[in-house]
Amino acid sequence: MQKRLSELEFSESGTVRDIFASRHELNCLGVRVRKHLTMITRQPIKGPVVVAVDDMEVAMGLETARCVIVEVDRP
Amino acid sequence: MAAHNHRYTILMMGNPNVGKSALFNRLTGANAVVSNYPGTTVDVTRGFLRKERLEYEIIDVPGAYSLEARDAAEEVAVRILGGHPDAVVMVVLDATRVERGLYLALEVMEHGNPLFVALNMIDAAREREVSVDVATLQEILGVPVVPTSAVRGEGMLDLVEAVHRAQPPDIAAIEARAFGEVKCPAGERPLSIAGTAGGVPE
């Protein structure tokens, strides 16, 4: 099942399938296609969204998180 | 004071929070502010190291994730790199997260300065049982890779020696080697810069 990154629930994990925002902005922070990540927190209203990638926390705006498509891990 | 025959300029570049300032302090005996959170260095710190009759000017460049600057610290990093076309660049990687630092490393390599890599925090990598194949990484990048621990003072003399072996990287050759054209000992799989853990830099 695919979701927008902004829709992942707390502690839900998945693999990045596509990025429709600035790839460079996310790539240099370690968020890339085929990367595995876990939702840490999604703040209300306008974010930020914080995910764990390679044991590092990466924060991004809600709009950016909406542009990242994630294949959700099966429970 | 003794005259020095030659001065090298070394730019220390890397992601935030990989231990650049701690390395800088080790190499120069300076007292730059070091912390365990990123973004401590937002200005330029310079120091000097003298060994035998050689003098090394070391510049601690603010941490950056990319050379497409998005904040003041990255703007400073880009400006310093552009202003020192003849400097030797020491790219500092966190040995516990090598792949993460390679994005910036490759951007820096595209600038063409002579370059070598400090694989810092190697002690933390050992403690976390993270094994880095230094020889293969060195072979793929085509530049010296020196494991270091600024906290323990490990690898400092090797770093100074690596300045003299620094090479202008050949990006096309790196790409070819990263995608399988690197010789490895029998039975070992080539290390992929694109990341065996997934993730394709674009």
Side-chain angles (χ1 to χ4, degrees), chain B:
Chain B
M1 182 194 273
H4 297 281
N5 285 343
H6 191 77
R7 178 193 278 193
Y8 294 86
T9 300
I10 302 166
L11 305 180
M12 298 178 62
M13 301 192 71
N15 284 168
N17 209 25
V18 296
K20 289 184 299 299
S21 297
L23 262 185
F24 174 83
N25 288 348
R26 270 284 180 186
L27 289 168
T28 64
N31 196 25
V33 177
V34 175
S35 72
N36 64 347
Y37 53 86
T40 309
T41 309
V42 292
D43 211 338
V44 183
T45 314
R46 293 168 194 269
F48 293 91
L49 164 70
R50 295 184 183 96
K51 183 170 180 288
E52 295 161 0
R53 293 182 65 81
L54 300 176
E55 184 172 66
Y56 304 84
E57 179 190 25
I58 301 176
I59 301 177
D60 184 13
V61 178
Y65 288 108
S66 159
L67 293 181
E68 286 184 28
R70 298 164 304 165
D71 57 37
E74 289 185 346
E75 281 175 12
V76 172
V78 172
R79 200 168 63 237
I80 295 172
L81 181 62
H84 294 83
D86 299 323
V88 174
V89 178
M90 178 200 301
V91 170
V92 185
L93 298 181
D94 176 347
T96 66
R97 299 182 181 92
V98 173
E99 186 210 343
R100 186 181 169 92
L102 286 175
Y103 192 93
L104 175 73
L106 289 168
E107 281 193 326
V108 174
M109 286 176 181
E110 286 177 339
H111 268 253
N113 292 54
L115 183 146
F116 65 102
V117 173
L119 198 58
N120 197 33
M121 299 167 72
I122 197 73
D123 54 328
R126 283 193 208 109
E127 283 167 18
R128 294 183 202 178
E129 299 184 343
V130 173
S131 173
V132 182
D133 186 343
V134 177
T136 305
L137 183 61
Q138 186 167 270
E139 190 167 354
I140 290 173
L141 296 178
V143 299
V145 177
V146 182
T148 63
S149 165
V151 173
R152 297 187 181 177
E154 189 178 330
M156 296 302 114
L157 288 176
D158 294 335
L159 270 187
V160 178
E161 188 269 334
V163 174
H164 304 279
R165 294 187 290 118
Q167 297 285 329
D170 181 340
I171 293 292
I174 291 171
E175 188 174 7
R177 291 191 293 259
F179 288 99
E181 295 175 23
V182 63
K183 296 169 199 153
C184 289
E188 288 186 17
R189 201 157 54 99
L191 177 73
S192 167
I193 283 184
T196 49
V200 183
E202 310 233 351

Side-chain angles (χ1 to χ4, degrees), chain A:
Chain A
M1 179 180 56
Q2 292 193 344
K3 281 186 180 180
R4 296 174 188 272
L5 178 55
S6 56
E7 295 167 350
L8 283 189
E9 301 295 334
F10 169 71
S11 80
E12 202 170 24
S13 297
T15 303
V16 177
R17 289 297 176 221
D18 219 334
I19 297 174
F20 296 107
S22 164
R23 289 196 172 210
H24 170 75
E25 294 260 329
L26 290 170
N27 285 176
C28 68
L29 294 171
V31 178
R32 300 199 281 272
V33 171
R34 298 201 339 242
K35 273 288 185 185
H36 191 260
L37 46 75
T38 304
M39 175 64 78
I40 300 293
T41 182
R42 191 179 60 199
Q43 298 295 328
I45 308 178
K46 289 189 176 179
V49 170
V50 182
V51 294
V53 186
D54 291 336
D55 293 330
M56 289 287 288
E57 292 185 6
V58 176
M60 67 190 79
L62 191 60
E63 285 303 317
T64 301
R66 282 192 184 123
C67 298
V68 179
I69 306 301
V70 175
E71 182 75 39
V72 180
D73 291 349
R74 290 179 185 170

